[in-house]
Amino acid sequence: LAFERLGHIKVPGLVERAGMDVKSLSAAFAREFAAMEPDALRQKLRVLGADPRKTASLRSNAELREALEDWCESAGMEVPFLQAFQMHRGTSADAREIAKLAESSEVGKAAANLLGVPSVMLYQTAGFVKEPGDGETAWHSDLNTSPFDTSYMVTFWVALTPVRNDRDSPLVFGGRSHRDFALPYWYSDSGMADLGTRGYLIKDHAPFKPGDASAHHGWVLHSAPPLEADTRRMALSLTFVEEGARLLPNGSKLRKKPDDEDREGYADWLSAFRPGEAVSHP
């Protein structure tokens, strides 16, 4: 009931409930993220609008990180979090460990129950890492960055490091924002920048111990404060949509196109389905 009303809930001990060891999962995540970090840095540079001609020749993490920091400094902004997509799809033992959680029946059943649908599909896993001093995460909703024509999406945000308070950058939710149809219907992106008058119930679910999770609806607005703690924050997200969700149509039928920030998460399978077609398996 709380999920339906507010659009988010806390899910204590999700990893243990799925029959997994949190320490092993956290270690696997750290190793797999390290292997994927160059792609995560390139994705962030693309999203921020860095000139690809200036970054194409960069190979090492140090070079890419320096390019990101230089771009942010020139733009007058804080360095953002890094995001690695589809961490469960790799061939390594660490990727298989992540897949055990993402594909577990416990998590899938929880997703279907929260959405009130018979069955769900795993759309995406993503690793989120913030380093000490990294900036805030802006308000956004997950469905706005996906290619699906549905309102049935839920994301489990799984803490893999302790999140004790605001200094550890927990997700902050705009409770009831998933029901605010008037906001995206009437307002432009710039008009949606000021959320202070919308009457949302602003809340986070800290503290989290590793293995605890929150679950949020695909349309609920959420953000995160800067990481002020002196250790990195690691989190794994697991996103599900209803079974048979359709792709968005293209052309004049759409009021706006989805934000392509998460393009790296679906680009490899998107062309296998026609616009408006039901997706059998992302």
Side-chain angles (χ1 to χ4, degrees):
L1 188 58
F3 182 82
E4 180 67 23
R5 288 179 174 175
L6 298 175
H8 62 92
I9 59 170
K10 187 173 183 178
V11 187
L14 180 67
V15 174
E16 292 94 336
R17 285 165 51 182
M20 296 186 63
D21 179 72
V22 177
K23 289 184 178 180
S24 296
L25 178 63
S26 297
F29 175 97
R31 291 188 294 265
E32 190 68 11
F33 191 91
M36 300 178 73
E37 190 166 352
D39 289 337
L41 286 160
R42 291 185 189 281
Q43 183 266 349
K44 194 60 62 177
L45 285 163
R46 175 189 69 79
V47 169
L48 292 175
D51 187 344
R53 294 171 297 181
K54 296 181 179 180
T55 60
S57 62
L58 303 180
R59 293 290 179 267
S60 70
N61 283 359
E63 290 176 320
L64 288 162
R65 185 78 186 186
E66 183 179 8
L68 177 61
E69 292 174 350
D70 288 347
W71 195 98
C72 291
E73 183 178 3
S74 66
M77 63 176 288
E78 296 174 301
V79 176
F81 65 89
L82 293 183
Q83 182 175 3
F85 292 95
Q86 308 296 20
M87 294 188 71
H88 69 295
R89 288 189 179 174
T91 58
S92 68
D94 295 323
R96 291 194 295 273
E97 183 75 4
I98 294 167
K100 287 180 187 177
L101 179 65
E103 298 171 358
S104 73
S105 59
E106 179 74 24
V107 177
K109 288 176 182 177
N113 288 338
L114 287 172
L115 293 175
V117 298
S119 57
V120 294
M121 302 184 296
L122 176 64
Y123 159 48
Q124 179 171 277
T125 61
F128 293 90
V129 168
K130 272 190 176 181
E131 302 292 351
D134 283 356
E136 68 178 1
T137 305
W139 288 100
H140 65 285
S141 62
D142 295 343
L143 270 166
N144 190 49
T145 61
S146 88
F148 290 107
D149 182 7
T150 184
S151 288
Y152 294 98
M153 173 185 280
V154 61
T155 295
F156 294 96
W157 187 87
V158 185
L160 295 178
T161 50
V163 179
R164 295 164 287 257
N165 51 45
D166 284 356
R167 289 176 52 81
D168 293 312
S169 190
L171 289 191
V172 179
F173 300 99
R176 302 191 303 210
S177 57
H178 66 309
R179 293 181 166 190
D180 188 2
F181 183 71
L183 181 70
Y185 188 88
W186 293 116
Y187 289 89
S188 64
D189 287 348
S190 60
M192 293 168 64
D194 181 12
L195 302 177
T197 62
R198 307 305 298 184
Y200 301 150
L201 303 176
I202 306 302
K203 177 182 173 59
D204 67 67
H205 290 291
F208 291 84
K209 69 180 187 300
D212 289 343
S214 60
H216 62 267
H217 190 278
W219 282 127
V220 81
L221 291 165
H222 53 287
S223 64
L227 182 58
E228 297 178 351
D230 57 4
T231 55
R232 69 170 9 189
R233 188 209 70 185
M234 300 192 309
L236 172 67
S237 72
L238 316 169
T239 299
F240 297 84
V241 294
E242 63 175 328
E243 181 98 32
R246 296 181 179 275
L247 289 183
L248 286 165
N250 54 21
S252 61
K253 291 184 178 181
L254 292 181
R255 285 168 135 334
K256 58 179 290 188
K257 293 181 179 180
D259 188 310
D260 76 344
E261 179 174 351
D262 287 5
R263 185 175 71 195
E264 285 80 356
Y266 56 79
D268 64 335
W269 60 260
L270 188 66
S271 61
F273 302 93
R274 297 186 304 275
E277 184 180 6
V279 176
S280 58
H281 191 273

